[in-house]
Amino acid sequence: VMPGFIATADIDIDASPERVWETITIRASEVTFGAQVESDWRVGSPVTWTGRRHGQTFEDTGVVVDAVAPYRLVLTHASGGSGEAAPHRITYELSGSGDGTHVELSQDGNPSDGAAGEASARWREHLEAVKRRAEQPATGMTPVRQAE
């Protein structure tokens, strides 16, 4: 059971689930609100988001809870220095095949319906960035091998 109010966003992307998975993991730094994202995307591994927000540097942290490429990715996320009591859980669910993927994203732990609404709007922006990146022609993209 996910605590708090849940933010949701979804999008259809004209790219394979494998391509979308690569975009939200290996290429996360290109589609995540200008943050530099570091992880090896293995279950139990740390995830860090670093960058600048409102003129301040930040380092957010989390853990990969579940990773079933290319269909399900679950992360925790806690904002550095925000004093959040509990981290959010961010879940990506990818479905589809071939050249079409539907992505559903949810984020729990929002303290109010209004906060969930604001988070949903931010996640829609993120998914739009994922769509733009994943739909770009493959030229110039070096294949990235997933660690087994």
Side-chain angles (χ1 to χ4, degrees):
V1 177
M2 293 200 251
F5 293 84
I6 299 171
T8 59
D10 69 285
I11 200 165
D12 289 303
I13 299 176
D14 294 328
S16 68
E18 292 80 7
R19 173 79 174 221
V20 175
W21 177 270
E22 178 181 304
T23 304
I24 62 175
T25 57
I26 310 291
R27 301 182 188 285
S29 296
E30 300 174 35
V31 295
T32 310
F33 312 113
Q36 184 70 31
V37 185
E38 298 285 338
S39 182
D40 67 10
W41 308 106
R42 296 176 192 216
V43 173
S45 289
V47 185
T48 58
W49 295 264
T50 53
R52 290 182 72 76
R53 183 187 302 130
H54 310 303
Q56 302 289 316
T57 56
F58 68 89
E59 179 169 316
D60 296 354
T61 58
V63 173
V64 178
V65 177
D66 192 19
V68 183
Y71 296 110
R72 180 175 165 82
L73 179 65
V74 184
L75 315 169
T76 60
H77 168 266
S79 295
S82 73
E84 284 178 8
H88 301 293
R89 182 177 290 238
I90 301 162
T91 302
Y92 294 84
E93 297 277 2
L94 286 66
S95 57
S97 60
D99 292 335
T101 304
H102 183 73
V103 182
E104 293 183 20
L105 184 152
S106 62
Q107 178 216 313
D108 72 6
N110 293 284
S112 67
D113 197 37
E118 288 175 23
S120 293
R122 283 195 307 276
W123 288 121
R124 272 193 292 278
E125 288 177 27
H126 168 62
L127 291 181
E128 289 286 347
V130 170
K131 177 180 173 75
R132 284 190 302 273
R133 186 66 183 91
E135 290 180 354
Q136 283 181 6
T139 54
M141 281 184 78
T142 34
V144 181
R145 290 173 52 98
Q146 275 285 50
E148 291 302 316

